[in-house]
Amino acid sequence: MRISGLAERTGVPVATLKFYVREGLLHAGTATARTQAVYDTSHVERVRLVRALTESAGLTLGAVREVLAVLDDPPTSRHELLGAAQHVMLAREDGRPQSRAEQGEPASEEPDRWAARAAELVAAREWCADDDPLVARLAGQLRAADAAGIDLSDAHLAALARAADAVAAADVASVPADRAGAVRQVVVGTLLTDPVLLTLRRMAQQRASAGVVRTG
């Protein structure tokens, strides 16, 4: 198909498609003349993937480029694939403005009880090493919640951790055996199911709240 056909199939304007090609987000079509090229279903799939990553996952074009690089030259193990997906997500989140608390910086020189609490939780769940960037991120998030007056009790945090374990188990179980499918599921699936998880949580909150009202 010509680029006009690709635009029609994907709903993306021709000018945007040409921009994707210039930025390396979309591979060039097969040249048929000096100023003409044809495109195939691989181009349709790539354009739809770029749109999903930018519109649904909220990635910048730079982050999308990182995802595509992993897809085109993936690590050999599923564990490394997960690490690549998390790297992109952390880079995306680090690009937004953060408070001092979220950045992991204590508000004073007092002992950082939030860092200790995060490390204790991670050790109890046997999740990751103490120096994993996610541990510092969790400490900053706990500190930010406390600064906003949110009482995240030990019982509440433990319940969230158990739910996270259940979600992680479901994520790992969903990864197909073939390498190409595993790459797409782990890298792209992780990015695109984060919004799904948030929506499910909100719907579950509505149901749980309605149950409290009925029995209260």
Side-chain angles (χ1 to χ4, degrees):
M1 75 191 83
R2 301 280 293 276
I3 194 168
S4 57
L6 180 61
E8 184 177 349
R9 286 277 301 274
T10 60
V12 176
V14 170
T16 302
L17 294 174
K18 291 181 177 179
F19 172 76
Y20 285 171
V21 173
R22 288 197 304 271
E23 292 296 311
L25 302 173
L26 177 66
H27 48 295
T30 302
T32 58
R34 189 174 65 85
T35 59
Q36 294 181 353
V38 294
Y39 301 83
D40 56 30
T41 55
S42 69
H43 294 88
V44 175
E45 293 175 359
R46 180 55 62 94
V47 171
R48 288 173 176 169
L49 175 58
V50 171
R51 290 193 69 186
L53 292 174
T54 54
E55 296 175 8
S56 297
L59 299 187
T60 64
L61 293 182
V64 171
R65 194 175 290 107
E66 287 191 47
V67 172
L68 298 180
V70 173
L71 294 178
D72 292 338
D73 186 20
T76 56
S77 74
R78 293 186 183 186
H79 188 65
E80 289 175 323
L81 282 174
L82 178 60
Q86 291 190 346
H87 171 75
V88 173
M89 285 185 288
L90 291 175
R92 174 192 62 180
E93 293 164 5
D94 286 340
R96 67 174 177 82
Q98 292 180 308
S99 67
R100 186 180 180 189
E102 287 179 304
Q103 293 168 4
E105 301 176 13
S108 69
E109 298 302 321
E110 297 178 1
D112 187 0
R113 61 191 178 102
W114 303 114
R117 191 179 184 197
E120 181 181 353
L121 174 68
V122 168
R125 310 296 303 184
E126 299 181 344
W127 275 348
C128 55
D130 290 344
D131 59 353
D132 191 296
L134 289 173
V135 181
R137 180 175 292 263
L138 176 60
Q141 291 164 344
L142 294 175
R143 186 181 303 109
D146 180 72
I150 302 301
D151 180 18
L152 191 57
S153 67
D154 290 340
H156 189 181
L157 187 59
L160 294 178
R162 290 193 297 272
D165 270 335
V167 170
D171 287 339
V172 172
S174 73
V175 178
D178 67 288
R179 189 174 184 225
V183 171
R184 178 171 289 269
Q185 181 69 18
V186 172
V187 179
V188 181
T190 299
L191 292 165
L192 293 181
T193 55
D194 267 3
V196 174
L197 182 59
L198 288 174
T199 301
L200 292 174
R201 181 187 186 187
R202 281 151 180 70
M203 290 190 292
Q205 285 175 334
Q206 290 180 9
R207 181 178 183 276
S209 176
V212 169
V213 171
R214 286 194 299 269
T215 60

